[in-house]
Amino acid sequence: ERQFAIALDARVAERTRIARELHDTLLQALHGLMFQFQAVRNLLPRRPDDAMRLLDNAIDDTEKALAASRDTIHDLRSEPIARGDIGEALAAIGKQLASSGDSTSELPAFDLVEEGERRALCPSVNDEVCRIGVEVLRNAFHHARARRIEAEVRYGSHFLRLRIRDDGQGIDPKVLQDGGVAGHFGLRGVRERAERIGAQLDFWTEVGAGTEVQLAVPSAIAYENPPEAGTKLFRKKDEKACKAPLS
C-alpha cells in the first residue's frame, strides 16, 4: 500500500507538472495571439498599414509559440524563462504586453521599481520568481481593466520581495478562495511555484479597488550568496515575517 501510494503521488505530481508547463507555453501563447488577432481585426477597416504591422508581429509570435510548444511536448519540460535578472525579465514582458493591444484602446501604464542592491539569485529561484511575475502581469494586463500596473523588486537582507499592483477591478474573493477559475491553471500554478521554492505568496484585493500580489522569498533560499546576518535573523526571529501585511 505504501509503494502504491508513493507511485500514485508521483503520477499525480507529474500530471500537475505537465499541465503547468503546457499552460506556461502553449495556452499562454494562444491567449496572447487571440488578443493580437483581435487588435488586427479592429484596425483592418480603418488603418490597414497598422493592421499589417500587428499581423506580422502575430506571425512572429506564432513561430516562437510553435517552437516553445514543440520543446515542451517533446520532453515535457521548459527552458528557464530568465537568463538575466528579474527586473529585466519583467520589463521585457511588460513592454511586450503593452504593445500587443489595439492602439485605439486604452492600455494601462506600466512601471518597474527596483530597490536595494542587485544580488545573484539561485538559478531555480530566479526562474520560478520570473514565471510567477510573468503570470501575475499577464493577468493584470488582460483581466484587471487597470489604468496603472506597477511591479516592484526589492533585494532585502532578509527577503527577496516581488510586488505587483494594479488599480483595476479586483479579484472576486470566491476565485481566490477556490484557488482559481475552473479550467484555468494560472493562479494554481503561481501558488504551486511559490510553495516549491519555500516562498510566501499573499494577495490583497477588493472588488473595484485593484489587486496587490506579494511574493517573499527568504534570503537564505533566494540568493546564491545570502547575507549571513540575514540568514540568522530569519532562522531566529523572522519566521513569520512573510505573512505580515504590507507596510
Side-chain angles (χ1 to χ4, degrees):
E1 290 178 354
R2 185 180 62 183
Q3 290 176 347
F4 175 79
I6 292 173
L8 183 60
D9 288 344
R11 180 175 298 181
V12 171
E14 180 67 7
R15 292 182 63 181
T16 301
R17 185 177 70 85
I18 293 170
R20 182 171 54 243
E21 296 299 340
L22 288 176
H23 172 270
D24 288 344
T25 53
L26 182 59
L27 295 182
Q28 280 192 358
L30 290 176
H31 195 241
L33 288 171
M34 180 185 69
F35 279 92
Q36 289 181 287
F37 286 130
Q38 182 63 49
V40 171
R41 184 182 184 280
N42 294 340
L43 287 172
L44 194 57
R46 297 171 287 103
R47 300 165 59 184
D49 291 341
D50 290 338
M52 289 296 294
R53 176 178 55 81
L54 286 177
L55 187 59
D56 288 339
N57 292 338
I59 292 173
D60 291 339
D61 288 345
T62 301
E63 292 176 348
K64 295 176 183 177
L66 285 172
S69 300
R70 188 180 302 114
D71 290 341
T72 300
I73 294 172
H74 174 69
D75 57 9
L76 298 179
R77 66 178 179 87
S78 57
E79 296 298 324
I81 193 171
R83 303 296 183 185
D85 65 90
I86 298 171
E88 291 175 356
L90 295 181
I93 193 64
K95 181 178 180 181
Q96 176 186 337
L97 291 169
S99 64
S100 65
D102 178 357
S103 60
T104 61
S105 61
E106 185 177 354
L107 293 171
F110 175 70
D111 289 316
L112 174 67
V113 178
E114 292 187 78
E115 296 186 359
E117 182 180 356
R118 284 187 180 181
R119 300 176 185 270
L121 304 185
C122 295
S124 59
V125 172
N126 190 64
D127 187 58
E128 297 289 14
V129 172
C130 284
R131 288 188 181 276
I132 289 171
V134 167
E135 178 63 24
V136 174
L137 280 179
R138 287 185 189 276
N139 285 337
F141 270 92
H142 292 159
H143 304 300
R145 298 180 183 174
R147 296 185 302 273
R148 186 179 185 84
I149 299 172
E150 180 183 271
E152 174 188 314
V153 180
R154 178 178 296 180
Y155 297 89
S157 298
H158 310 319
F159 296 96
L160 169 73
R161 296 184 189 272
L162 170 64
R163 288 171 173 160
I164 297 178
R165 310 178 180 93
D166 69 69
D167 60 356
Q169 62 184 354
I171 302 176
D172 187 337
K174 188 176 186 304
V175 172
L176 283 179
Q177 182 180 352
D178 295 343
V181 179
H184 295 260
F185 298 96
L187 183 58
R188 191 177 308 164
V190 164
R191 292 186 187 278
E192 290 172 356
R193 290 185 183 281
E195 183 178 353
R196 189 157 61 221
I197 59 175
Q200 178 70 32
L201 183 69
D202 292 302
F203 290 82
W204 288 270
T205 185
E206 185 176 345
V207 176
T211 300
E212 180 167 334
V213 181
Q214 176 181 266
L215 180 77
V217 190
S219 59
I221 298 173
Y223 304 136
E224 284 191 336
N225 298 301
E228 185 177 354
T231 303
K232 290 180 178 177
L233 271 173
F234 172 72
R235 288 174 179 170
K236 292 181 179 179
K237 297 173 59 178
D238 291 347
E239 200 165 354
K240 298 181 179 179
C242 287
K243 298 183 180 179
L246 289 176
S247 55

